[in-house]
Amino acid sequence: WSGGDVVGVGIDRLNRKIFLTRNGVHQGVVFDGTLLSEAAAQDLHLALGVTASSAIFTINEGPGGFMFDPKRELNTYSKVNQLFTRFDINGDDFLDFPELKKVIRSTSYNPNEPFNNADYVRFCRLTDASVTNGMDAGAFYRLYEMNFGDIDEDYSF
């Protein structure tokens, strides 16, 4: 992440989860408290740790509005776009081999899920994506249309 990013910390009390957002884009669940008791789940509080002495931040507890709208119902396309944005590490609007490998491993039940260059080339060809540039958001969406993942499960990891 970089200077000027807006980082949000969301508490989903109903599902007992804490998630992060970056510039209004859901970045994933960072804490799953489904095993906590009801009382413990209601007693969650924000804590902030900063290691850089030059860090500048503002805490918005709601009155100023939020970039991320948790009440908005996300459709499949929106979820795929947010997942795509989360893993487009270099910000070039394409998922190259290392980025797609990170998606596969991060959303798999097996964090060591085998994914090699031949798999990447096959996925690119199946979705009409450029092997050189990588997958754009549309090609990434087509993977889900072809049932190469469950967007609801992958989005909530």
Side-chain angles (χ1 to χ4, degrees), residues 40-132:
Q42 293 301 317
D43 201 28
L44 295 175
H45 299 281
L46 175 64
L48 179 65
V50 180
T51 57
S53 61
S54 62
I56 299 172
F57 55 89
T58 303
I59 296 176
N60 172 8
E61 296 183 79
F66 298 107
M67 290 184 75
F68 178 76
D69 182 2
K71 294 180 181 176
R72 183 180 71 215
E73 180 62 35
L74 295 173
N75 63 28
T76 299
Y77 192 72
S78 295
K79 289 178 182 178
V80 170
N81 275 335
Q82 288 196 15
L83 193 63
F84 177 89
T85 301
R86 191 182 313 166
F87 285 95
D88 182 20
I89 307 302
N90 60 13
D92 66 352
D93 294 325
F94 292 96
L95 295 180
D96 57 21
F97 173 65
E99 292 168 331
L100 191 57
K101 184 175 185 175
K102 187 169 175 107
V103 173
I104 301 297
R105 289 198 167 162
S106 296
T107 59
S108 171
Y109 292 109
N110 175 5
N112 296 314
E113 180 77 25
F115 186 77
N116 58 38
N117 195 61
D119 296 324
Y120 171 74
V121 169
R122 182 172 64 96
F123 279 7
C124 286
R125 289 188 176 143
L126 283 170
T127 59
D128 296 320
S130 164
V131 174
T132 304

